[in-house]
Amino acid sequence: MAEPRRRRARRYRFEDGPAALAVRVPEVPGAAGTRGTAGAPGTPAQRLAPCLAGAGLAVRHIGAGVSLPGVVAARCGARVILSDSEELPQCLRSCRSSCLMNRQPHVPVLGLTWGRVSPELLSLAPIDIILGSDVFFDPKDFEDILTTIYFLLEKNPHAQFWTTYQVRSADWSIEALLHKWKLKSIHVPLHSFGADKEHLASSSMPGRHTVEMMIISPARSEGTSLYSTSDFSTT
């Protein structure tokens, strides 16, 4: 009987020197829900590596796919839960594979479908940071995504949603939806944390794709509890 074929993996390296962090995630080219292999995933992970080291923050990675940012957070000492659509079991398998590849078998993986307020969503423990890597991939999902974020932030009003996205069309915008769901966003310049490069984390990504990062929080909050605009100042 033939041995099962080993799954191919992609390796990322954050920072240099003895404190460098190396992470491997499975390659799942062209599969639904694996947007984390496109242009944006290295960006939040690049920001996470120095910010979360030893902080013990509670992090929820939604739409995780191959889970690069979530695995980086776990490797840095955060208490992480990974989630992806309960309707896409292959995505949940990718989450678990990434955990095993990086010796993080204790990280929980949960099914969470955009726009669906499930008992699991409502019963989650407190969260400090919600991560989303290139989740704004298809305009038909934008409101469902922000509905989910709204409910998570209602339960955790001091939390933040850190997200990156590949710019695919100048006509796409979430501004009206942010206003509808009483949310606000802060644009995070990539150069403020050294991510304005064609190649991040010793990889070929994001290449020539245009990637943006923003932090979303409740509109009523007075600033943000973890990081504010001053944290990304270039002065």
Side-chain angles (χ1 to χ4, degrees), residues 7-10 23-37 61 63-71 82-85 88-102 104 107-110:
R7 199 168 193 179
R8 294 184 60 185
R10 184 172 291 183
V23 173
R24 296 167 64 237
V25 296
E27 283 193 341
V28 195
T34 57
R35 295 178 293 281
T37 60
H61 187 182
V66 296
S67 311
L68 175 60
V71 168
L82 303 177
S83 64
D84 211 314
S85 174
L88 296 172
Q90 71 272 27
C91 295
L92 298 175
R93 287 194 294 269
S94 291
C95 293
R96 296 186 182 97
S97 293
S98 290
C99 292
L100 294 175
M101 284 182 178
N102 293 280
Q104 302 292 315
V107 173
V109 176
L110 302 178

Side-chain angles (χ1 to χ4, degrees), residues 180-202:
K180 175 181 177 178
W181 289 100
K182 299 179 175 60
L183 301 170
K184 64 182 179 182
S185 66
I186 296 172
H187 176 255
V188 181
L190 299 189
H191 65 79
S192 67
F193 57 101
D196 56 336
K197 302 176 176 67
E198 283 193 23
H199 307 298
L200 294 176
S202 301

Side-chain angles (χ1 to χ4, degrees), residues 46-69:
Q46 189 91 356
R47 179 67 184 168
L48 280 167
C51 286
L52 297 186
L57 297 175
V59 173
R60 178 68 180 263
H61 187 182
I62 63 172
V66 296
S67 311
L68 175 60

